Amino acid sequence: MDKKTLFAINFYEKEDFIDQSEIDKLCDSIDRKSLIDYDYIQGNAKTSIGVDQSHFLDFHKDLEDRIVKEMPIKNQRMAESWCTIQKKDSTLKWHKHPNSVLSGILYLKVDWDSSKLVFQNPTSMEGEVAEIIPRPGLLLMWPSFLMHGSGDTINKSKERIIIGFNSYWDKKW
């Protein structure tokens, strides 16, 4: 039997999508008192998923518009966005984003001790994974069906702050 490949799975990244001054403004805009625990994030971590700031980029429309322009699949709109703050010894469970087309992350505050973003290869029978090392200002996007989390990596940084988002088809399309 010959092995053939039907599809390669692409992800997209843009280094230095935002600069440090914009990162600082975004971090300062987070209402930390309103953040809550969430099942997919274990340990000392909080998120805006499920609270008033669950559409975090609604408060930063210029940034939302810039992210949407970068989406590799056209006719997308921002379906939801959130911020997450992870503290030392927190992890992100394996998960995917149903009812979305693209998912993404914008790293705000990370360092070399921050947990990685780990993807599972859905075509691998051996549990193959790929790891992304976070960097401040890095914008990533991937197909929402990809299973991801922190894998075996545990966040060891004092504070890891991200903006996450999902897209869906634009109704005008």
Side-chain angles (χ1 to χ4, degrees):
M1 178 87 51
D2 293 330
K3 179 180 176 181
K4 305 276 184 170
T5 301
L6 286 174
F7 304 105
I9 300 171
N10 298 317
F11 77 97
Y12 305 86
E13 69 176 18
K14 184 159 189 156
E15 296 279 349
D16 301 317
F17 182 69
I18 57 175
D19 63 24
Q20 190 59 51
S21 66
E22 194 167 4
I23 289 170
D24 293 341
K25 288 177 190 172
L26 288 164
C27 288
D28 290 343
S29 75
I30 298 169
D31 180 5
R32 292 168 183 255
K33 292 178 187 152
S34 72
L35 302 181
I36 61 171
D37 294 331
Y38 191 68
D39 184 50
Y40 286 100
I41 310 162
Q42 297 181 311
N44 189 2
K46 303 282 184 185
T47 185
S48 65
I49 296 171
V51 297
D52 288 341
Q53 285 191 30
S54 63
H55 292 280
F56 184 80
L57 289 173
D58 285 353
F59 301 98
H60 305 280
K61 280 300 203 186
D62 59 326
L63 179 59
E64 178 180 316
D65 291 344
R66 288 171 37 210
I67 291 171
V68 169
K69 284 181 185 173
E70 293 292 332
M71 290 181 176
I73 299 174
K74 300 305 174 201
N75 301 309
Q76 296 295 293
R77 64 175 169 79
M78 193 67 66
E80 53 198 352
S81 59
W82 59 92
C83 65
T84 299
I85 300 176
Q86 288 181 251
K87 302 286 188 170
K88 190 173 182 180
D89 296 326
S90 60
T91 60
L92 180 62
K93 286 183 183 179
W94 290 112
H95 68 285
K96 55 187 168 185
H97 299 258
N99 302 317
S100 303
V101 177
L102 290 171
S103 294
I105 191 169
L106 177 58
Y107 290 101
L108 301 181
K109 187 175 181 184
V110 291
D111 57 33
W112 287 108
D113 293 325
S114 296
S115 55
K116 298 173 183 152
L117 181 61
V118 183
F119 291 96
Q120 292 179 347
N121 181 348
T123 66
S124 171
M125 300 297 187
E126 291 85 37
E128 179 185 11
V129 297
E131 296 180 343
I132 307 292
I133 297 172
R135 297 171 299 284
L138 176 65
L139 176 65
L140 295 174
M141 293 184 209
W142 61 88
S144 297
F145 66 81
L146 279 180
M147 191 71 77
H148 59 284
S150 56
D152 294 333
T153 67
I154 298 171
N155 186 57
K156 293 296 183 185
S157 64
K158 180 180 170 188
E159 193 170 62
R160 177 186 189 270
I161 304 176
I162 64 96
I163 297 172
F165 58 88
N166 291 321
S167 77
Y168 198 69
W169 299 108
D170 191 336
K171 292 177 183 169
K172 294 180 273 186
W173 184 63

